[in-house]
Structure formats: C-alpha cells, structure tokens
Amino acid sequence: MKKYNFNAGPAILPQIAIDNTLEAIKDFKGTGLSILEVSHRSKEFDAVMVDAIALFKELLSVPEGYQVLFVGGGASTQFFHVPYNLLNKKAAYLVTGSWASKAKKEAELFGEVVVVASSKDKNYSYIPKGYTIPTDADYFHITTNNTIFGTEILTDLDSPVPLVADMSSDILSRPVDVSKYGLIYGGAQKNMGPAGVTFVIVREDILGKVDRKLPAMVDYRTHIESGSMYNTPPVVCVFTMLETLKWVKAQGGVKEMEKRDTEKANLLYAELERNKLINPVAETDSRSRMNVTFVLKPEYAELEKDLLDFAKARGMEGIKGHRSVGGFRASLYNALPLDSVQALVDCLKDFEKSH
Ligand SMILES: *Cc1c(COP(=O)(O)O)cnc(C)c1O
C-alpha cells in the first residue's frame, strides 16, 4: 500500500536524499569506504560541510556579517545556548506554544525574562498581536512556526533589539529577510534533513557581549572559527541534509517551496472548512502552512478513532494530533507532494459521506 507521510518530525525527506545517503553508506564518493567509517577531517567530508554551509547561505540569501553553523544537540540545546551567549540582564519572549514556553524557561536560568505576550489563554490557537518589545532587552525570542498547535508567523517582524527565531519547522518554506534577525536556529528534522543536526544563523556582531564565561562547546564563536568542525559533527546527518538542500535548489529554491507549501495548505484548509464533521483548530489569520491541526466537531467527537482507523487503512501516516491539542495534525513539509494532500482530502470527503 502507498504510504502518505504526514509525520511532524522526524518527517518526510526527498527520496533522492535517502537514495544518495544509502549510496554514501555503501561507498562514499568512490573512496571504497562507507561514510560511516571515514574521518570527518577527510577531504571528502570536509567538502560536504563546506558545501552544506555555502548552499544553505545561498538558498536563504544570508547577507554579509552572518555565519552559518551546523551543530548537534537539537533545537532544545539552542534554548539554553541562546541565553548563554546573548542574555546579560534581560530577554523578551513571545510565548506561542510548548516549544516557545520551553525556550523561555531555559532563559530564566540566565536573567530576567519578560513575556511580551502569550496565547496560552486559548491553548495557543493564535499568534498574539499588538505587544510592545522592551527596548532594553538583550534580544527578543519568537517561534515562527508552532509545530504542535499549528500556528505560524509569516512575516519577518520588526524588532528594536536583536530578533532571535526558532525556525525548526518552517525553515526553507519561504524566503526570509535574514537581515531582520540576530539569530535563527532549529533542528533539521522537520523540513531540512534527518534528526541529529541543528542549524544556527548568527549575526556576528551580537556575540561577545555577555559578562559570563562560556564553555567552548556553548560559545558560538568556537563553531564559527572551526567551520562547524570543532568536534566531530553528525557526519551522516549533515550529508543527508546537504542532499536535501540540493533538492530544494533543483526544485527552484525557497520561492518555489513557498508556492507549493501555500498551495498544499490552501487545499487542506479549504476541505476542513467545507467538511461538516470537522473544525480547523488555529484561528484563520494565524494558520500554519506546515502543520495543519483539526478536530471533529463536538457533536461528532466520538468518531475520532473511526477516522484515524479509516485514514490508516488508506495509508495516511502520522495524522494523530499531539496530546496537548487532541484531534488530528497533518504536517505538510517541503518534501510532501501535493498528491498526498489530495489523498488526505479525498479520505476526509469519503469519511464524511459514510457518516
Ligand atoms: C521539534 C521542535 C523543537 C525541538 O527540537 P529538538 O531538535 O528535538 O530539540 C523545538 N522547536 C520547534 C519549533 C520544534 O518544532
């Protein structure tokens, strides 16, 4: 049976990235050795890292003065690396979901944290507006896409202090004006590669301003100076990520990703609005293009397991909602084809007909 992969993360990857990884595991660039068993200092792997940094910069038009790092630890490690490197006295956070809330909690270990706004009052179903960012904060932290709740910030905000963004689940889904950010980070495993590698884009002039001493692995400057090779990087993950970046470029880059992701999301949201059994979760002006959350209307709530089974029988994978929202979540990352979304829409229509 054909599978339709709506997993939230780790998530669907382009088939060519998987195929080329398999090949490199068997024979890495004709060396006669597996990528699993060569030095990260070999000229073959060094080229992978250098190319990955260059291509990521190219795809996002990263301007002068910014550095790109690929490190381990996941986005959750960045939750404390960011304040370690940037928080001297005070930081501001926009709390739009569980990940934002976890990031804020880590920052509290390092100094004063001001929550400028939160959407917790409505279980994070919207993006707050009309808040004020304190001009004496060391930085302002946002989560651009709230993977669990299905909301997204689709514009590059203006901030009077360095803007720091967790873009784990919507990186490479639209052109971003990097010059408006001080730092962007995320785990690769949603929209950009396999689990195990984390990206950081940082404007160099915001570093070196905190009073505390930094362990080498925590200090972004260590990874800048060493070209992300201070210690052993997650070699295979970086390879697969580079293959994914090459695929994005071959498709037409982030502008083309934006076009496709918007089309896919519009197709699914239109069905959710039409279907008499279903309600979308996120408020209309806050909807995520990457993670689409929906529930059965209260009068049909008892059909939840039936719909899950119905969808499973048709090859729909990963559409069960996160426990903090319930219902359903379909993740429509870059590598997910439009026909998978059409298959889900057809499935929801057929389920409606049978009830
Ligand atoms: C998945 C996710 C994280 C956590 O990423 P890890 O790499 O598992 O630490 C953080 N923020 C967002 C927005 C996410 O989607």
Side-chain angles (χ1 to χ4, degrees):
M1 184 176 49
K2 181 172 161 53
K3 295 280 185 165
Y4 302 96
N5 185 353
F6 297 99
N7 278 319
I12 188 164
L13 288 171
Q15 190 58 44
I16 190 169
I18 296 170
D19 292 343
N20 290 346
T21 304
L22 276 173
E23 183 51 38
I25 287 175
K26 283 191 235 154
D27 181 0
F28 179 41
K29 293 184 177 176
T31 55
L33 297 173
S34 169
I35 189 169
L36 299 172
E37 52 183 7
V38 297
S39 168
H40 61 291
R41 309 270 174 211
S42 64
K43 72 174 191 317
E44 288 82 10
F45 182 76
D46 191 66
V48 171
M49 183 60 96
V50 169
D51 289 355
I53 291 172
L55 185 49
F56 188 52
K57 279 186 173 168
E58 180 189 327
L59 287 170
L60 283 175
S61 307
V62 175
E64 286 292 304
Y66 287 77
Q67 295 282 347
V68 164
L69 317 174
F70 292 122
V71 293
S76 303
T77 296
Q78 296 306 312
F79 292 168
F80 73 86
H81 278 202
V82 165
Y84 229 130
N85 280 271
L86 304 179
L87 204 173
N88 233 352
K89 289 209 170 61
K90 188 200 267 190
Y93 277 69
L94 181 65
V95 179
T96 51
S98 321
W99 296 117
S101 171
K102 283 182 176 162
K104 179 209 97 176
K105 221 171 148 198
E106 296 289 74
E108 283 165 350
L109 300 170
F110 296 88
E112 183 191 346
V113 173
V114 180
V115 174
V116 300
S118 163
S119 47
K120 190 163 190 240
D121 58 338
K122 291 186 183 166
N123 201 28
Y124 301 117
S125 59
Y126 69 102
I127 302 288
K129 287 192 219 82
Y131 48 80
T132 308
I133 306 161
T135 53
D136 61 345
D138 296 317
Y139 63 88
F140 173 46
H141 182 283
I142 61 171
T143 310
T144 52
N145 186 68
N146 299 284
T147 323
I148 293 174
F149 300 91
T151 62
E152 187 174 13
I153 298 172
L154 274 163
T155 50
D156 301 308
L157 303 181
D158 293 306
S159 169
V161 297
L163 181 60
V164 175
D166 174 357
M167 292 197 187
S168 292
S169 49
D170 66 351
I171 190 75
L172 301 178
S173 68
R174 66 175 180 91
V176 167
D177 182 356
V178 175
S179 72
K180 288 193 143 184
Y181 297 82
L183 192 147
I184 298 170
Y185 68 87
Q189 72 273 17
K190 312 285 171 43
N191 209 21
M192 171 161 165
V197 56
T198 311
F199 59 88
V200 179
I201 306 171
V202 58
R203 202 174 77 212
E204 267 186 291
D205 69 6
I206 67 172
L207 300 176
K209 297 193 171 156
V210 286
D211 301 328
R212 73 181 63 85
K213 290 200 170 92
L214 302 173
M217 278 297 286
V218 170
D219 193 334
Y220 290 124
R221 292 169 300 183
T222 307
H223 303 287
I224 292 173
E225 278 156 27
S226 61
S228 295
M229 297 276 256
Y230 175 71
N231 71 327
T232 318
V235 173
V236 183
C237 305
V238 174
F239 180 89
T240 311
M241 181 185 68
L242 172 58
E243 293 302 311
T244 307
L245 296 175
K246 286 183 188 166
W247 176 86
V248 171
K249 183 174 176 181
Q251 304 305 300
V254 288
K255 264 209 131 63
E256 177 63 21
M257 294 298 119
E258 179 179 45
K259 186 170 152 269
R260 293 184 192 180
D261 292 338
T262 305
E263 190 183 357
K264 287 184 287 179
N266 288 346
L267 176 63
L268 183 51
Y269 282 116
E271 169 59 16
L272 300 181
E273 301 225 307
R274 190 210 58 77
N275 195 303
K276 70 174 192 321
L277 306 179
I278 291 171
N279 277 336
V281 171
E283 290 187 9
T284 314
D285 65 353
S286 302
R287 286 175 178 173
S288 166
R289 300 157 309 140
M290 313 311 294
N291 313 95
V292 177
T293 45
F294 56 99
V295 291
L296 286 161
K297 289 188 177 158
E299 59 270 38
Y300 299 109
E302 82 283 2
L303 296 178
E304 189 163 310
K305 183 160 185 310
D306 291 355
L307 175 51
L308 270 179
D309 293 343
F310 187 83
K312 183 108 190 154
R314 294 185 167 215
M316 307 291 145
E317 289 287 330
I319 64 163
K320 191 174 165 49
H322 189 275
R323 61 188 177 280
S324 46
V325 181
F328 304 84
R329 169 176 55 174
S331 298
L332 316 181
Y333 296 122
N334 286 350
L336 185 86
L338 181 66
D339 68 9
S340 295
V341 182
Q342 189 60 55
L344 178 58
V345 166
D346 294 344
C347 171
L348 296 174
K349 284 194 165 129
D350 290 345
F351 186 75
E352 179 190 33
K353 275 190 206 128
S354 65
H355 286 86

